[in-house]
Amino acid sequence: MLVALVTLVQNWLTRRQSGTVVLEIGGDRVELTGSPTELHREALAAFLARHPE
């Protein structure tokens, strides 16, 4: 479910070409942006690995 939510938010941000959404679970945070860098993608992958479905 979390991966689906992240995908939905990323697609929405990409269409808007701007903005930031912060996801937080138990104090663990990650930011999603409309134009993610490699560093953002790595942080998101690590976040998802820490919070398996």
Side-chain angles (χ1 to χ4, degrees):
M1 179 85 150
L2 183 57
V3 173
L5 174 64
V6 167
T7 300
L8 178 72
V9 170
Q10 283 184 315
N11 289 339
W12 177 72
L13 287 168
T14 299
R15 285 192 306 275
R16 291 190 58 202
Q17 298 180 349
S18 67
T20 301
V21 173
V22 177
L23 298 176
E24 183 172 353
I25 298 174
D28 188 12
R29 299 172 52 135
V30 68
E31 289 187 9
L32 304 175
T33 65
S35 47
T37 64
E38 184 61 31
L39 183 60
H40 282 111
R41 285 188 283 275
E42 290 172 4
L44 177 58
F47 179 83
L48 291 172
R50 289 189 302 270
H51 303 283
E53 295 182 48

